[in-house]
């Protein structure tokens, strides 16, 4: 329910507020009914006022009867949560109107314009402010003013008899019409003034409530996010443990064979040592990757930013891959841009990003294929792209290639020792510089990865 | 000598396969291997082995279990009905990673495998377990 608080909720009462208010209103009415019973008795007994007790009792009985009906209606409303707000609003209007009639009758019975209970009209204006909208509250203030005026007018012109109580007011007020008009005007002013004040206060309280609910929702959301982050971390730890354990298990199993004398043939022995060597090498790479990934995630680094000449860096990496490119007869296409293309980054981050992308491209491209690197300024943004004519990524896996430890089936078949962290590291590092990473790929056709570092990015 | 008992190893780690194959072959068993669950099931039908050594964690963490369930399935018309009673030795390093302890006593009903062996593979342990499972079978 709290989540559905909208702008409306800050101006008008909410469902929960209204239903609680209506319940409270019904409880108050029992006390009001009791007052209608007791006060005339006290008036008669103590002050010797000649009140028509029977008529007051009739009004009290009517109040009790109506309140019992209200209680019944309330119980039904409470059980029916759908469309309750509208129903409760109508219900509150009905209750206030019934009260107006009872109050008008009581005012008439206790002396019309001279009645000591005339100011009680204010109570319902305040109740209306709490339960209903500002407009409805002003409408009720107008209705109350009209009812008070109607009683005074009816009694003044003799439409209904004027019940006077000389013990309270010695002479009848209707002989002094200016007094009647002034009294009614001030009553009306008090009613509208109360309506204004009470609705303003109620609105301010509601705004504060809504603000609290917003805060609570925000807190809950943050808490759930943290929970998810925690779960992801646990999952990551689990995967890391498995990835570290698998090669260790293999190494230990192979060494066990040698130690326990199952390998007599020197050639076989050598084969096993080579296998162990390869697993240890992969393990070392995994640990390096894990460190890089952690470095990408941590926001602190002791390395300073420097202005990196991207074409020069690409050339340097190309040199490192010269042998592999020749062995695989892979063409490396790189056209040095005419303009200067540079980024403000930590050198090791930039090296890692480009090396990982170029390494993947070379690794997953068949003999005779092409790896094309392009760096360019695009309207102030720096764009870096690496395209290959390699094995590509299966369609359903494109979204997953940046996930930690994910390796597509075709990549796994082609290169056994990969850690599945290379692109995760790239993603981490790129996002650290507010870069945008996009990948296009078609199975058996090739992959094209583009990174755009926005103009004037900040870290 | 009677015909050699045939063992099917289903494991995606070629080094672990090698580490099991070597001592088994040196003790006169015939060994065939498969590197995925699917390949394992088709090899099972093709080769009709006497025992399966199954890795618990292949590409997904549940692949090993799925293979075991497929073999033990009593669904009518199961392609593996012939092998429903075949002994399965499950290889796992998982009970040291996760809190759950897999063992015959606690998981016999849930995990339809006959025996467990842990990584790293100890050749003597492997040979003992294989021999005793084949005697029972």
């Amino acid at each position: 329910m709290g989540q559905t608080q909208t702008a409306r909720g800050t101006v008008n009462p909410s469902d929960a507020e209204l239903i609680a208010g209506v319940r409270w209103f019904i409880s108050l009415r029992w006390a009001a009914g009791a007052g209608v019973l007791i006060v005339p008795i006290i008036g008669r007994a103590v002050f010797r006022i000649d009140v028509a007790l029977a008529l007051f009792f009739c009004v009290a009985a009517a109040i009790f009867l109506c309140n019992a009906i209200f209680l019944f209606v309330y119980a039904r409303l409470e059980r029916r949560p759908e469309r309750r707000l509208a129903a409760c609003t109508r219900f509150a209007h009905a209750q206030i109107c019934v009260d107006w009639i009872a109050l008008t009758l009581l005012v008439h019975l206790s002396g019309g314009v001279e009645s000591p209970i005339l100011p009680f009209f204010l109570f319902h204006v305040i109740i209306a402010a709490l339960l209903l909208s500002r407009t409805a509250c002003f409408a009720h203030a107008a209705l109350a003013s009209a009812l008070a005026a109607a009683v005074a007018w009816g009694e003044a012109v003799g439409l209904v008899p004027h019940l006077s109580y000389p013990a309270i007011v010695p002479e009848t007020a209707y002989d002094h019409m200016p007094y009647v008009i002034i009294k009614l005007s001030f009553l009306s002013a008090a009613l509208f003034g109360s309506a204004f004040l009470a609705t303003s206060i109620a609105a301010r309280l509601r705004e504060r409530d809504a603000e609290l609910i917003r805060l609570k929702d925000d807190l809950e959301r943050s808490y759930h996010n943290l929970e998810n982050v925690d779960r992801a971390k646990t999952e990551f730890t689990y995967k890391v443990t498995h990835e570290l354990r698998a090669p260790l298990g293999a190494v230990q199993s192979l060494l066990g064979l040698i130690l326990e004398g199952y390998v007599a043939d020197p050639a076989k022995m050598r084969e096993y040592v080579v296998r162990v060597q390869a697993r240890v090498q992969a393990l070392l790479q995994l640990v390096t990757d894990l460190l890089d990934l952690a470095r990408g995630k941590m926001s602190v680094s002791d390395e300073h930013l420097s202005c990196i000449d991207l074409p020069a860096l690409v050339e340097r990496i190309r040199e490192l891959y010269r042998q592999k490119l020749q062995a695989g007869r892979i063409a490396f296409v790189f056209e040095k841009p005419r303009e200067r293309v540079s980024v403000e980054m930590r050198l090791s981050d930039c090296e890692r990003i480009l090396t990982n992308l170029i390494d993947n491209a070379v690794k997953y491209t068949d003999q005779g294929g092409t790896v094309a690197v392009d760096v360019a300024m695009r309207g102030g943004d720096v764009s870096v792209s690496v395209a290959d004519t390699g094995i590509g990524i299966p369609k359903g896996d494109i979204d997953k290639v940046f996930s930690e430890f994910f390796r597509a089936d075709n990549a796994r078949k082609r290169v056994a020792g990969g850690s599945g962290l290379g692109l995760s590291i790239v993603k981490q590092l790129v996002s650290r510089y507010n870069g945008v990473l996009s990948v296009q790929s078609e199975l058996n056709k090739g992959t094209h990865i583009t990174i755009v570092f926005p103009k004037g990015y900040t870290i | 000598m009677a015909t050699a008992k045939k063992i099917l190893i289903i494991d995606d780690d070629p080094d672990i396969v090698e580490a099991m194959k070597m001592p088994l072959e040196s003790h006169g068993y015939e060994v065939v291997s498969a590197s995925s669950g699917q390949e394992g099931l088709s090899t099972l039908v093709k080769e009709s082995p006497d025992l399966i050594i199954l890795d618990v964690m292949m590409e997904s963490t549940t692949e090993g279990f799925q293979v075991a369930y497929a073999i033990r399935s009593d669904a009518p018309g199961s392609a593996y009905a012939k092998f429903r009673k075949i002994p399965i030795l499950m290889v796992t390093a998982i009970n040291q990673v996760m809190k759950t302890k897999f063992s015959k006593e606690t998981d016999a009903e849930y995990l339809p495998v006959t025996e467990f062996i842990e990584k790293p593979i100890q050749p003597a342990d492997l040979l003992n377990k294989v021999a005793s499972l084949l005697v029972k079978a």
Side-chain angles (χ1 to χ4, degrees):
Chain A
M1 194 151 51
Q3 307 253 355
T4 58
Q5 280 280 336
T6 54
R8 188 188 177 278
T10 62
V11 181
N12 293 331
S14 69
D15 185 55
E17 188 186 346
L18 187 56
I19 195 104
V22 162
R23 181 77 190 83
W24 171 72
F25 193 19
I26 293 173
S27 306
L28 283 183
R29 195 173 292 104
W30 296 119
V36 174
L37 270 182
I38 295 161
V39 172
I41 297 174
I42 297 173
R44 200 180 171 111
V46 179
F47 299 100
R48 308 266 166 227
I49 303 166
D50 183 25
V51 288
L53 280 181
L55 289 174
F56 278 95
F57 290 171
C58 284
V59 175
I63 290 174
F64 286 134
L65 181 67
C66 285
N67 214 29
I69 295 170
F70 291 152
L71 199 58
F72 174 73
V73 176
Y74 169 80
R76 289 186 48 160
L77 274 179
E78 206 184 19
R79 278 199 302 273
R80 207 189 58 186
E82 76 284 0
R83 301 179 56 78
R84 194 161 63 177
L85 191 64
C88 271
T89 305
R90 280 198 301 275
F91 187 38
H93 273 297
Q95 285 191 62
I96 293 173
C97 287
V98 167
D99 284 349
W100 288 138
I101 294 169
L103 195 54
T104 308
L105 276 174
L106 290 171
V107 165
H108 168 63
L109 291 178
S110 57
V113 80
E114 298 151 11
S115 168
I117 61 168
L118 212 48
F120 279 37
F121 274 109
L122 287 175
F123 289 159
H124 282 74
V125 168
I126 294 168
I127 288 169
L130 295 178
L131 297 184
L132 302 169
S133 68
R134 170 163 268 189
T135 320
C137 180
F138 278 115
H140 277 290
L143 182 58
S145 305
L147 284 171
V151 171
W153 177 76
E155 291 184 2
V157 300
L159 209 63
V160 285
H162 169 53
L163 305 175
S164 62
Y165 297 95
I168 311 173
V169 186
E171 46 188 321
T172 171
Y174 294 110
D175 292 343
H176 309 279
M177 277 320 274
Y179 170 75
V180 173
I181 291 166
I182 287 170
K183 185 157 186 187
L184 288 175
S185 304
F186 275 80
L187 174 71
S188 183
L191 288 172
F192 279 99
S194 304
F196 174 73
L197 288 177
T199 49
S200 302
I201 293 167
R204 209 182 306 158
L205 288 178
R206 272 174 214 135
E207 262 166 37
R208 213 166 292 169
D209 275 1
E211 181 62 33
L212 276 178
I213 286 163
R214 262 199 299 279
L215 278 173
K216 180 178 143 276
D217 288 350
D218 282 354
L219 273 177
E220 268 174 13
R221 212 168 307 126
S222 314
Y223 176 74
H224 287 308
N225 286 345
L226 279 177
E227 264 187 338
N228 286 341
V229 168
D230 187 51
R231 200 168 308 132
K233 282 218 155 139
T234 310
E235 220 166 274
F236 179 73
T237 310
Y238 178 77
K239 280 186 189 162
V240 168
T241 316
H242 174 68
E243 296 290 327
L244 290 172
R245 216 188 157 88
L248 286 174
V251 164
Q252 221 174 338
S253 302
L254 290 172
L255 290 179
L257 287 184
I258 297 171
L259 277 178
E260 291 183 30
Y262 285 90
V263 198
D265 179 12
K268 200 76 182 162
M269 174 101 68
R270 191 185 152 70
E271 183 205 322
Y272 283 5
V273 172
V274 169
R275 277 174 183 255
V276 166
Q277 168 93 330
R279 295 305 286 258
V280 172
Q281 179 58 41
L283 195 55
L284 194 64
Q285 183 60 52
L286 173 63
V287 172
T288 311
D289 285 353
L290 282 170
L291 276 175
D292 277 337
L293 192 64
R295 203 162 53 89
K297 283 181 179 173
M298 286 189 294
S299 53
V300 283
S301 169
D302 42 13
E303 195 184 329
H304 293 295
L305 294 179
S306 51
C307 191
I308 296 159
D309 182 3
L310 280 175
L313 181 58
V314 173
E315 295 286 3
R316 275 216 310 281
I317 297 171
R318 175 196 207 154
E319 276 310 306
L320 293 178
Y321 280 84
R322 183 169 294 283
Q323 265 191 339
K324 273 192 189 169
L325 290 166
Q326 274 172 356
R329 288 194 287 115
I330 296 169
F332 191 99
V333 181
F334 175 61
E335 208 171 299
K336 215 172 163 190
R338 269 190 229 118
E339 56 187 341
R340 180 180 161 78
V341 182
S342 61
V343 283
E344 187 95 357
M345 281 175 91
R346 291 182 187 89
L347 180 61
S348 61
D349 290 348
C350 194
E351 276 175 350
R352 190 74 213 250
I353 291 169
L354 273 173
T355 310
N356 276 13
L357 293 181
I358 292 173
D359 187 71
N360 272 352
V362 174
K363 216 158 45 181
Y364 298 118
T365 299
D366 286 324
Q367 286 226 338
T370 307
V371 171
V373 179
D374 180 61
V375 297
M377 298 297 293
R378 301 216 194 287
D381 296 348
V382 176
S383 152
V384 178
S385 81
V386 177
D388 63 53
T389 56
I391 60 171
I393 304 165
K395 208 170 176 190
D397 291 341
I398 291 184
D399 291 341
K400 300 184 206 153
V401 291
F402 295 108
S403 313
E404 287 144 2
F405 299 114
F406 178 82
R407 299 193 70 207
D409 280 345
N410 58 344
R412 203 180 281 272
K413 283 204 181 88
R414 190 183 170 94
V415 182
S419 69
L421 288 176
L423 287 177
S424 314
I425 294 169
V426 170
K427 189 185 173 188
Q428 276 300 330
L429 292 175
V430 167
S431 68
R432 197 165 159 186
Y433 296 92
N434 289 329
V436 179
L437 190 59
S438 59
V439 51
Q440 289 169 304
S441 187
E442 205 175 321
L443 198 59
N444 303 322
K445 290 258 174 79
T447 303
H448 187 170
I449 293 184
T450 309
I451 303 169
V452 176
F453 293 106
K455 184 182 182 179
Y457 56 85
T458 49
I459 299 163
Chain B
M1 192 181 152
T3 48
K5 294 276 189 187
K6 196 187 269 184
I7 296 170
L8 166 62
I9 301 177
I10 308 177
D11 195 321
D12 61 345
D13 187 326
D15 293 334
I16 294 287
V17 171
E18 182 61 32
M20 292 193 279
K21 196 173 179 176
M22 164 89 195
L24 289 171
E25 280 181 345
S26 72
H27 277 69
Y29 296 108
E30 187 186 342
V31 179
V32 286
S33 67
S35 64
S36 74
Q38 211 48 50
E39 193 192 333
L41 288 171
S42 58
T43 314
L44 171 69
V45 174
K46 204 165 64 201
E47 300 279 348
S48 291
D50 301 289
L51 177 138
I52 298 173
I53 300 178
L54 177 61
D55 183 35
V56 68
M57 295 242 233
M58 287 192 275
E59 285 182 19
S60 73
T61 47
T62 55
E63 199 174 343
F65 300 130
Q66 283 161 4
V67 171
Y69 284 120
I71 296 169
R72 293 283 192 254
S73 163
D74 52 10
S78 158
Y80 316 107
K82 216 172 99 187
F83 306 103
R84 201 175 290 155
K85 297 255 186 304
I86 192 169
I88 300 178
L89 175 59
M90 191 165 239
V91 186
T92 170
I94 201 169
N95 58 354
Q96 283 147 336
V97 180
M98 299 207 306
K99 287 278 177 283
T100 33
K101 182 96 183 149
F102 289 128
S103 74
K104 256 193 316 193
E105 290 74 28
T106 55
D107 291 294
E109 285 165 52
Y110 307 104
L111 263 175
V113 301
T114 332
E115 182 62 276
F116 291 90
I117 185 166
E118 279 173 20
K119 282 184 197 172
I121 304 297
Q122 280 156 4
D125 186 26
L126 173 72
L127 290 167
N128 278 341
K129 282 183 171 157
V130 165
S132 78
L133 287 177
L134 285 173
V135 166
K136 277 185 217 159

